[in-house]
Amino acid sequence: MNNKELVSDIANHTGMTVKEVTGLVSATVSAITTELADENSVSILGFGTFEVRKKLERVLINPTTKQRMLVPPKMVVSFKPNTSFRLKVKN
Amino acid sequence: MGSKITLSQLAKLLAQKKNISQRKAEAFLRDFFEAIIRNVSSGQSVKITGLGSFRLIEVQERESVNVSTGERIVIPGHTKLSFSPDGSLRDTINKPFADFQTVVINEGTSLEDMERIDQPEDVLPSDAEDETEDGTEGDDAETIYLDPEPEADTEPEPELEPDPIPEPEPEPESEPEPEPESEPEQEPEPEPEPVTEAEPEPTSEPEPLPQPVVKIRAMTGAETCALTLGVLLLCVLSYFVGYYRLLCPALCHSEQQEARTEDAPSAARGKRTAPTFVPDTVPAVPKVEESGAPRPLLDENGEPFAVVPGGKYRIVGTRKTHVMRRGDYLTRIALREYGDKEFARYIVAHNGIKDPDNVPLGKEIRIPELEELPAE
C-alpha cells in the first residue's frame, strides 16, 4: 500500500476530500521530520515512538577480501511500536 | 533537543501549518495513525512518502531456555512490525554526519587509539593519533615543569660541600679543636651521599630538557614513555635529597653530641690549646676567622652552639624560649619567628631535637638568635 492508497483510505473513513487529506498527511510528515531533525522524539499514544539514535563508528571487515573499513558514525531514525500496536500485529 | 513530542503537540504544529483548529488536527492525526494500524494489521505494508514504510516480518518459532527454571521452551512464531525510514528522512536526520564516508583502513593501522576515543567526531585515525600525541606532549610539559621545584630544594646542597671543607682545610694541625675534626669525621658519612645524589641532577637535568625540544615531532610511544619515566625518577631522587636535608641536621647534631660526650676531655684540651696557636695562624690564614667563626661562640653551658651544615646563618645565642603546646610545629614557629619555615633546622640544631616531627608536649625549646654568615 503506498501513499495514495493510504490517503484514499483515510478519506473514505473520515469523509474528507483526497486533496485535503494529502495536504494534511504531507504536513504531518514534515512536522515529524523537523522534530526528529531537532533530535526530539515523537511519541504517539496507541501507535509508537519515533526517535533518533546515534550510532557510533565501527570497523567492518569484508569477509571475502579481508579488507577493513571504517564506517563513520551516523544518526538513524528508529520506530518502536506501542505495546497495543505490537500485540495487534503479533497474530 | 531531546524532548518528547506528544500527539497533542504534533497536532498544534499541524494546526499552525494548515491553519486549522487544533481539535480538527488532533482528530485527523488519530485517523491517520489508526489507518496505518488498520492497514498494517490486515497484513499489508504501508508506505508513507517522506516518512518510511511499515512492514510486517515473520518471526520463525525458536527454542529458548527459561532463565529462572532452566526449562526448554519453544517461542511460537509470530509477526512483528518493522519500520524503515524513507531515504529523504534518513538524509535529513543524518545531516550532521553527512560528510563522513566509509574509509578503507590501510594494513598495519593500529586501532587502539581509535577505540579509546568514544567521541564520534574523531573519525579519522590521523586525528586520533594527533590527539594522543598532544596528550603526551602535555604530560611532558607538566613533568618538566615540576623539575624547578626539586632544583630549588636542592639548591643549598652544594653549599654543604664548601662549608665543611674550608673548616678542616686551613691548617688542621694548628687548630686541633675537636669540632672541626669531629665534624668532618661524621660528616664524610652523610656528605658523600648528598654529593653523589645531587650530582646526577645537574648532569641528568639538561638531558630531558633538550630532548623534548629536538624530538618532539619524531617521538614514538617508547621514547616518550622512557622520557617520562626518567623525569619521574629524577623527581623521586630530588624528593629524597630534599627529605634527606630535613633529616640531616638532626642526624648530624645527635652524632655530634655523641662524639662530643666521648671526646669531652680532648675537646676541652683542644679548646684550651687553641688560643695559643691562633696568633700564629691568624696572620697566615685570615680565612680561618670567617669559616671558623661559629666555634668561639659558646652557650651558657660552655658548649659551642650547634652548627647547621649548609646554613647561611649561624647561631649566636638564644633569643627566647617557647613551650611546646598542642598543635605547635617547629616549622610554624620558625615561620613566625624568622618568616620562613626553613629556619626550623636551626631550632632543631639549637635544641638537639632528635625527631623534629615528634617533639614532646610541654618541652621548652630555645629559639636561637641568628646571624648571617659572611658570604664566601
Side-chain angles (χ1 to χ4, degrees), chain B residues 179-246:
Chain B
E179 275 289 300
E181 266 170 20
S182 61
E183 254 179 60
E185 255 174 58
Q186 330 120 1
E187 252 160 76
E189 282 176 62
E191 206 189 325
E193 268 184 81
V195 170
T196 46
E197 270 179 287
E199 250 172 355
E201 257 175 273
T203 47
S204 53
E205 203 94 54
E207 264 179 66
L209 281 178
Q211 240 177 347
V213 176
V214 181
K215 292 194 175 176
I216 249 172
R217 264 171 209 101
M219 237 184 322
T220 63
E223 269 176 313
T224 44
C225 195
L227 182 69
T228 320
L229 235 133
V231 172
L232 259 170
L233 203 76
L234 215 72
C235 287
V236 171
L237 205 74
S238 349
Y239 170 78
F240 277 113
V241 171
Y243 196 59
Y244 175 80
R245 261 181 61 244
L246 262 180

Side-chain angles (χ1 to χ4, degrees), chain A residues 1 3 9 13-14 28 30 35 38-41 43-44 46 68-70 72-75 77 89-90, chain B residues 1-3 5 13 17 29 31 33 37-39 45 47 49 56 79 93-94 100 102-103 105 111 120 123:
Chain A
M1 186 184 233
N3 208 45
D9 186 60
H13 273 83
T14 56
T28 309
S30 75
E35 289 306 322
D38 282 352
E39 289 179 37
N40 293 327
S41 64
S43 91
I44 286 124
R68 290 188 298 170
M69 316 269 273
L70 188 68
K74 59 181 171 186
M75 312 276 272
V77 183
V89 161
K90 201 165 180 177
Chain B
M1 272 270 193
S3 56
I5 306 293
L13 287 167
K17 257 188 187 167
L29 283 175
D31 287 335
F33 291 116
I37 292 173
R38 192 176 53 237
N39 283 298
S45 66
K47 190 177 177 189
T49 320
L56 287 180
T79 49
I93 299 305
N94 198 34
F100 294 131
T102 306
V103 200
I105 303 169
L111 296 172
V123 232

Side-chain angles (χ1 to χ4, degrees), chain A residues 21-75:
Chain A
V21 174
T22 312
L24 282 170
V25 166
S26 66
T28 309
V29 168
S30 75
I32 294 173
T33 307
T34 48
E35 289 306 322
L36 288 177
D38 282 352
E39 289 179 37
N40 293 327
S41 64
V42 179
S43 91
I44 286 124
L45 212 69
F47 185 68
T49 310
F50 295 94
E51 58 185 351
V52 177
R53 292 204 174 157
K54 208 180 268 177
K55 293 226 166 169
L56 279 183
E57 58 177 348
R58 64 190 202 280
V59 174
L60 189 141
I61 299 172
N62 186 331
T64 49
T65 60
K66 302 278 184 238
Q67 206 172 31
R68 290 188 298 170
M69 316 269 273
L70 188 68
V71 181
K74 59 181 171 186
M75 312 276 272

Side-chain angles (χ1 to χ4, degrees), chain B residues 8-324:
Chain B
S8 57
Q9 281 167 292
L10 197 65
K12 208 185 237 168
L13 287 167
L14 185 65
Q16 280 170 6
K17 257 188 187 167
K18 302 299 282 181
N19 256 334
I20 51 173
S21 72
Q22 184 163 344
R23 249 179 94 182
K24 202 180 168 188
E26 217 170 304
F28 167 76
L29 283 175
R30 277 183 215 287
D31 287 335
F32 173 66
F33 291 116
E34 212 168 274
I36 296 173
I37 292 173
R38 192 176 53 237
N39 283 298
V40 169
S41 304
S42 68
Q44 295 184 71
S45 66
V46 177
K47 190 177 177 189
I48 300 158
T49 320
L51 191 68
S53 56
F54 297 89
R55 205 181 297 126
L56 287 180
I57 291 176
E58 290 279 336
V59 180
Q60 296 268 308
E61 71 164 28
R62 64 195 167 97
E63 242 183 31
S64 182
V65 176
N66 189 324
V67 188
S68 49
T69 60
E71 268 178 78
R72 289 191 157 272
I73 47 164
V74 175
I75 297 173
H78 58 274
T79 49
K80 73 171 190 189
L81 183 82
S82 121
F83 169 74
S84 55
D86 197 78
S88 63
L89 177 65
R90 211 180 304 174
D91 288 348
T92 318
I93 299 305
N94 198 34
K95 219 170 210 165
F97 295 109
D99 295 337
F100 294 131
Q101 284 186 346
T102 306
V103 200
V104 177
I105 303 169
N106 295 326
E107 269 187 35
T109 310
S110 161
L111 296 172
E112 279 170 18
D113 291 346
M114 189 200 82
E115 275 155 14
R116 235 184 291 133
I117 296 156
D118 292 328
Q119 296 284 309
E121 273 79 14
D122 308 315
V123 232
L124 297 172
S126 62
D127 273 3
E129 269 167 38
D130 277 353
E131 259 209 14
T132 47
E133 231 177 44
D134 282 352
T136 46
E137 271 174 46
D139 273 352
D140 279 349
E142 259 178 65
T143 42
I144 284 162
Y145 171 74
L146 276 174
D147 269 356
E149 267 181 79
E151 254 185 306
D153 245 9
T154 48
E155 218 186 323
E157 212 77 44
E159 278 171 44
L160 212 123
E161 313 169 47
D163 199 24
I165 288 166
E167 267 181 80
E169 249 184 42
E171 291 174 62
E173 309 110 84
S174 61
E175 269 194 55
E177 284 181 40
E179 275 289 300
E181 266 170 20
S182 61
E183 254 179 60
E185 255 174 58
Q186 330 120 1
E187 252 160 76
E189 282 176 62
E191 206 189 325
E193 268 184 81
V195 170
T196 46
E197 270 179 287
E199 250 172 355
E201 257 175 273
T203 47
S204 53
E205 203 94 54
E207 264 179 66
L209 281 178
Q211 240 177 347
V213 176
V214 181
K215 292 194 175 176
I216 249 172
R217 264 171 209 101
M219 237 184 322
T220 63
E223 269 176 313
T224 44
C225 195
L227 182 69
T228 320
L229 235 133
V231 172
L232 259 170
L233 203 76
L234 215 72
C235 287
V236 171
L237 205 74
S238 349
Y239 170 78
F240 277 113
V241 171
Y243 196 59
Y244 175 80
R245 261 181 61 244
L246 262 180
L247 285 179
C248 183
L251 201 80
C252 289
H253 190 81
S254 55
E255 277 180 63
Q256 215 171 302
Q257 266 193 332
E258 278 166 39
R260 207 178 289 150
T261 46
E262 280 171 30
D263 303 346
S266 64
R269 213 188 319 125
K271 247 170 250 154
R272 249 173 266 123
T273 49
T276 56
F277 285 94
V278 167
D280 296 334
T281 53
V282 163
V285 191
K287 227 183 171 186
V288 173
E289 278 259 308
E290 290 172 19
S291 55
R295 264 163 263 135
L297 292 161
L298 302 177
D299 65 7
E300 53 270 32
N301 300 333
E303 282 185 40
F305 286 121
V307 178
V308 176
K312 283 179 179 158
Y313 296 83
R314 59 180 174 149
I315 298 164
V316 295
T318 300
R319 185 190 290 184
K320 57 177 175 181
T321 58
H322 178 85
V323 179
M324 289 300 278

